[in-house]
Amino acid sequence: MTLTPFAEAKADLRRAALSRRRDLDPSVRERFSARLAEEGLRLARSWRPRVVSAFHPIQNEPDTLRLLAALAEAGFATALPITGARGGALTFRRWRPGDATTPGPMNIPEPTASAPLVEPDLLFAPLSAFDRRGHRIGFGAGHYDRTLAALRANGPIHAVGVGFATCEVAEVPSEPHDERLDFILTERELIDCRGAG
């Protein structure tokens, strides 16, 4: 398969960022897990979403399970994404730590089919690389771009990218269909991307 110039540039940035992420000290990961739970809960209390979605961490991603536990403990409805066809929008099912999961198409733990479908209005989204304009690089399947577009068409949402500071790049190549994040949360700061050009 031949990559477009945009896809090739993103693939190079992704490889470099994932390499930096793999080399992080475990203490950085642990501190970020605690910060993510604290700051994520603060944002949820401020925005008062109906449903909060995060992601089940894989491949050295930040640990969101502590965040999900804190949100559930505080009474927020929490959810995980369900992966469908490549390039399609994600769906979401209610889930809180301790609930059953099943491996999804990408072998990521997902809620079982018996969990109710929900539509989150606060999403904590994974990323491989990001810039300060709110552009992200994921794993290249396009799920989050389609998902954010669909959710935004139905009403206001908050989309918060979750990634280590080492994954920041000067500029992510962007195309018209790419959906920007509203905020990016790292172990160092909360970046407000809403006014970025």
Side-chain angles (χ1 to χ4, degrees):
M1 181 174 77
T2 304
L3 293 177
T4 67
F6 276 107
E8 193 170 337
K10 286 182 177 181
D12 289 343
L13 290 169
R14 180 186 301 113
R15 273 191 294 274
L18 291 178
S19 175
R20 294 192 301 272
R21 189 171 82 182
R22 274 191 301 273
D23 292 341
L24 283 170
D25 188 274
S27 65
V28 174
R29 299 178 187 285
E30 175 58 28
R31 283 195 308 273
F32 189 25
S33 179
R35 172 172 161 68
L36 179 55
E38 182 180 309
E39 185 69 7
L41 182 56
R42 185 190 70 77
L43 293 173
R45 285 177 169 153
S46 174
W47 294 329
R48 300 182 181 179
R50 294 181 310 278
V51 178
V52 185
S53 172
F55 53 93
H56 204 291
I58 60 166
Q59 298 183 21
N60 301 308
E61 288 176 337
D63 181 5
T64 54
L65 298 181
R66 192 183 297 187
L67 166 64
L68 286 162
L71 290 165
E73 177 73 21
F76 289 97
T78 54
L80 287 176
I82 304 293
T83 306
R86 183 178 178 86
L90 302 165
T91 56
F92 299 85
R93 290 189 183 275
R94 285 281 300 258
W95 186 86
R96 58 188 293 154
D99 288 353
T101 60
T102 186
M106 299 173 68
N107 210 30
I108 301 170
E110 298 180 349
T112 61
S114 62
L117 286 166
V118 292
E119 191 168 284
D121 49 347
L122 171 53
L123 284 84
F124 290 93
L127 50 84
S128 300
F130 68 90
D131 67 23
R132 288 184 173 257
R133 298 175 304 148
H135 291 290
R136 68 181 282 281
I137 298 174
F139 282 107
H143 293 299
Y144 272 92
D145 289 319
R146 298 255 197 294
T147 301
L148 292 176
L151 291 173
R152 286 171 171 154
N154 290 336
I157 66 166
H158 289 98
V160 181
V162 177
F164 293 100
T166 193
C167 295
E168 181 177 349
V169 299
E171 184 176 351
V172 170
S174 60
E175 299 176 85
H177 68 268
D178 289 333
E179 291 284 326
R180 285 176 33 190
L181 299 163
D182 302 306
F183 295 86
I184 296 168
L185 179 59
T186 76
E187 75 276 20
R188 296 180 188 163
E189 62 186 320
L190 177 67
I191 303 166
D192 187 343
C193 308
R194 294 171 297 177

